[in-house]
Amino acid sequence: RRPIVSDLEFVLEPRLLAADLFGAPGAPDIAPIRRLAESWGRIKRAGLRLIGIAGVLETGIDCELYLVHPPAQWGVILAIRTGPAELGQLAVTRMQRYGRRCQDGHIVDVRTGATIPCETEERFFELAGMGCLPPRFRDSAGAGAEIGAR
């Protein structure tokens, strides 16, 4: 709903390749995503978890593709990438109050080292002791304070 878009961010979950002979999970298959990104514009960054594209489809708008694969979890990456950045930072900081840490795109129980399931944005903010506003309301003035107060 913004009149001017400065950049686009997409959260994608690449399929995992088949497990190896010893049963270890397969690696994420990011080759098809890279090929698609190359067809959209000039690649600025190309890693296992982020692909940056300059001037998508000759619009001048930059695009970032965030790739969610283990150990990262969908809810963590989606909540952080739908911004604003200050809101994600607030949530990550508040998790420490509850003995949790955001690490490599997943939530960890500091005492046990166990990964805490977080498949939705709602769960991400719940783990931070916060309410979850729909993304379209997150950029309004004071949204972070409003959510953080819950």
Side-chain angles (χ1 to χ4, degrees):
R1 296 186 180 187
R2 289 181 167 256
I4 298 174
V5 176
S6 59
D7 69 338
L8 299 171
E9 296 180 354
F10 292 92
V11 178
L12 307 166
E13 187 172 3
R15 73 180 175 95
L16 298 178
L17 298 171
D20 68 17
L21 293 174
F22 303 104
D29 186 8
I30 61 174
I33 297 169
R34 281 191 178 163
R35 282 193 299 274
L36 177 65
E38 289 168 352
S39 74
W40 287 1
R42 183 180 60 80
I43 303 298
K44 301 187 310 185
R45 296 173 67 180
L48 287 175
R49 298 195 180 276
L50 171 64
I51 298 173
I53 310 162
V56 175
L57 303 175
E58 300 178 12
T59 62
I61 296 173
D62 288 351
C63 178
E64 293 178 330
L65 307 178
Y66 290 90
L67 310 178
V68 180
H69 50 83
Q73 294 186 343
W74 185 260
V76 176
I77 302 302
L78 187 61
I80 290 172
R81 296 318 324 162
T82 53
E86 297 80 17
L87 181 59
Q89 291 166 355
L90 174 65
V92 167
T93 300
R94 286 188 52 138
M95 283 186 195
Q96 295 172 5
R97 295 181 187 176
Y98 304 100
R100 300 174 185 125
R101 175 179 72 241
C102 187
Q103 172 183 314
D104 298 326
H106 66 287
I107 307 300
V108 175
D109 182 309
V110 174
R111 291 162 300 198
T112 66
T115 295
I116 300 171
C118 186
E119 296 303 323
T120 66
E121 289 181 295
E122 292 81 9
R123 178 72 173 144
F124 176 82
F125 288 110
E126 176 186 311
L127 289 168
M130 301 167 66
C132 181
L133 283 176
R136 70 180 181 270
F137 296 120
R138 292 183 192 164
D139 278 343
S140 64
E146 179 182 329
I147 292 174
R150 294 185 185 172

